[in-house]
Amino acid sequence: MLLEKVKLIEGLPVSINVCSIIEEPYHYHKELEIVLVLRGKTELKVRHNKYVLSEGDLILIDMRDLHQFYNSTEDIMTVVMHLDASAFSHLYPDIEIMIFTCEECLEEAQVSKLNELKNELSETILDILTNKYDVFYVKKLLTGMVHTIVTEFQGFYIEDHRFKISKESIKDIDISRMYQIIKYIGENYRNKITLNEVAEQVYLSSYYVSHLLKVVTGVNFQTLVNYIRMEYAEILMLEKKLTLTQISEFCGFSSPGFFNRFFKEWHGEFSSKYKAQIKYVTRRCNKLDDQQAVEIVKKEIEEPRSGKIKFSDVRNDIRKYLPKNLLTDIQKKEYIIEALKYYNAHNNVI
């Protein structure tokens, strides 16, 4: 089964594994996956994109994105976090359909925000693995980390058939509208969908929707519709229960020929060849016990640079001044998030 269930830590919307993934079958989760390579090198395929990851690289794998690690070196060691995004929907209503990108964060302009996420991830991992954590405290760590992911890695556009970090600053209202459109397409991909129909559903003009999608995503309406259809088609192809003609019809493509041409645009080969080459492998993954994991994580994760303000120190400092009996838990979270925004704007926080 392509959908793999994740066993979360009791009382927390997260799971943590420090392991060596040599290879694994193509699969997806309902949770957001965050992978940090501690040592070694591995290859990763996410949908139609392929990446080579080495020590220090971090990547976000979106909810329901097909992915597979393979061709890993024998010394590979990764820390993998699965995060139940629905636990943060009260703060970010669209989070379960958000698209995150950090694939290009090794560029000089992106290093600072990637380091921020790495440090938040590292602190959370070590706190959990030591088994001395307080649930409320870890939830606050996770809330801060999710805030960083949403604010720093959410913007994207599609160029050369790859998802990339947005070059433009997009208004929150426009991003929210885009997700309304994506959600509607995802719920109706099997049917014929027109631009006018979608515009009516989101109470906007067809011209505005067309312009919005082009500006925000970099592609036109029909290309976005067909890409979403293709995501569902690829799952059916991997399940090998339907013919390509049946898959094309089931996913709303106008004809098998059009589906085949569109598939080749994104995957670089025709769907028939892609399907014929599908190989099923068993997972080869060595998981470490918590003590081993803590030792490796402490050793392999880079220490914060001197002269920087630690994220944890900022958060603890903020917590000291919270009114203890006057705010609800949600209000406290929101207060901390807003305060951290201020710190990040006025200090060199890591």
Side-chain angles (χ1 to χ4, degrees):
M1 187 175 179
L2 295 175
L3 173 61
E4 289 194 352
K5 294 184 178 180
V6 172
K7 185 177 180 181
L8 302 175
I9 299 170
E10 186 175 355
L12 291 171
V14 69
S15 74
I16 298 287
N17 287 301
V18 179
C19 52
S20 56
I21 305 173
I22 306 301
E23 65 177 354
E24 62 182 0
Y26 225 21
H27 65 288
Y28 67 98
H29 311 281
K30 291 182 179 179
E31 296 79 13
L32 176 67
E33 184 169 331
I34 309 170
V35 180
L36 176 62
V37 180
L38 299 177
R39 68 184 187 212
K41 183 179 290 187
T42 186
E43 293 182 45
L44 169 67
K45 184 178 181 185
V46 183
R47 294 290 181 182
H48 63 285
N49 293 322
K50 296 180 180 179
Y51 307 96
V52 177
L53 305 176
S54 55
E55 182 177 331
D57 287 344
L58 180 148
I59 194 164
L60 301 173
I61 302 173
D62 287 332
M63 295 150 279
R64 294 172 293 278
D65 258 5
L66 283 165
H67 61 282
Q68 176 187 40
F69 284 95
Y70 62 101
N71 285 347
S72 301
T73 56
E74 289 300 322
D75 63 337
I76 187 68
M77 189 64 61
T78 60
V79 57
V80 180
M81 172 185 284
H82 290 105
L83 191 63
D84 179 9
S86 66
F88 304 91
S89 58
H90 62 291
L91 295 173
Y92 312 103
D94 296 323
I95 192 168
E96 292 183 76
I97 55 173
M98 285 180 181
I99 298 171
F100 303 109
T101 53
C102 72
E103 290 84 347
E104 296 178 314
C105 284
L106 297 182
E107 295 181 6
E108 186 175 349
Q110 309 293 342
V111 168
S112 60
K113 65 182 183 181
L114 185 63
N115 284 339
E116 178 183 348
L117 180 57
K118 282 183 182 179
N119 279 286
E120 292 174 344
L121 177 66
S122 305
E123 183 178 1
T124 306
I125 291 166
L126 290 173
D127 203 65
I128 291 175
L129 290 178
T130 55
N131 290 317
K132 298 177 181 179
Y133 63 87
D134 173 76
V135 170
F136 183 74
Y137 176 66
V138 172
K139 285 182 177 180
K140 286 192 175 298
L141 288 178
L142 292 173
T143 299
M145 189 171 68
V146 170
H147 172 70
T148 297
I149 292 171
V150 170
T151 56
E152 300 291 353
F153 300 96
Q154 186 185 169
F156 76 96
Y157 72 106
I158 301 172
E159 184 178 74
D160 299 328
H161 304 105
R162 296 175 74 90
F163 284 83
K164 299 185 177 183
I165 297 169
S166 178
K167 294 179 179 178
E168 304 293 335
S169 178
I170 309 299
K171 295 179 181 179
D172 289 343
I173 184 63
D174 286 336
I175 292 178
S176 180
R177 286 166 174 164
M178 180 194 67
Y179 284 129
Q180 291 178 49
I181 294 167
I182 290 175
K183 182 178 180 180
Y184 182 81
I185 296 171
E187 292 173 347
N188 297 275
Y189 70 95
R190 295 183 59 185
N191 306 317
K192 182 178 180 180
I193 306 174
T194 66
L195 178 61
N196 288 336
E197 175 188 347
V198 172
E200 289 178 2
Q201 292 296 322
V202 295
Y203 305 104
L204 298 169
S205 70
S206 57
Y207 171 80
Y208 188 89
V209 170
S210 178
H211 178 72
L212 174 69
L213 290 179
K214 188 65 176 178
V215 170
V216 176
T217 70
V219 297
N220 61 36
F221 170 75
Q222 196 57 55
T223 298
L224 182 63
V225 171
N226 288 329
Y227 178 76
I228 292 173
R229 285 172 171 161
M230 191 178 66
E231 288 187 330
Y232 289 96
E234 191 174 359
I235 292 174
L236 295 175
M237 289 172 66
L238 290 164
E239 290 177 344
K240 286 192 169 183
K241 294 179 181 179
L242 300 175
T243 66
L244 291 175
T245 299
Q246 290 172 326
I247 292 171
S248 171
E249 181 179 354
F250 184 88
C251 292
F253 287 96
S254 57
S255 71
F258 179 75
F259 164 61
N260 204 26
R261 289 194 301 274
F262 190 83
F263 190 92
K264 187 177 187 300
E265 280 185 33
W266 288 79
H267 285 269
E269 58 189 4
F270 289 116
S271 55
S272 55
K273 183 178 180 181
Y274 178 90
K275 187 178 181 182
Q277 291 176 340
I278 294 174
K279 295 180 180 179
Y280 296 94
V281 299
T282 57
R283 178 175 274 106
R284 290 198 294 146
C285 177
N286 301 316
K287 183 181 178 182
L288 278 69
D289 62 45
D290 287 350
Q291 184 57 43
Q292 288 177 306
V294 168
E295 292 175 1
I296 288 180
V297 172
K298 282 183 176 179
K299 180 180 178 181
E300 301 293 343
I301 292 179
E302 184 179 32
E303 290 294 323
R305 300 174 188 174
S306 60
K308 304 276 188 176
I309 304 172
K310 285 189 66 177
F311 182 91
S312 56
D313 293 339
V314 173
R315 184 185 47 252
N316 292 337
D317 186 49
I318 293 169
R319 188 182 293 113
K320 291 178 184 178
Y321 299 100
L322 283 176
K324 293 183 179 179
N325 300 317
L326 299 179
L327 299 177
T328 65
D329 287 346
I330 292 178
Q331 287 173 324
K332 288 178 182 177
K333 290 178 181 178
E334 293 173 342
Y335 183 95
I336 290 174
I337 288 172
E338 290 302 314
L340 286 172
K341 286 182 183 178
Y342 177 85
Y343 268 85
N344 280 328
H346 295 82
N347 297 279
N348 203 5
V349 178
I350 59 173

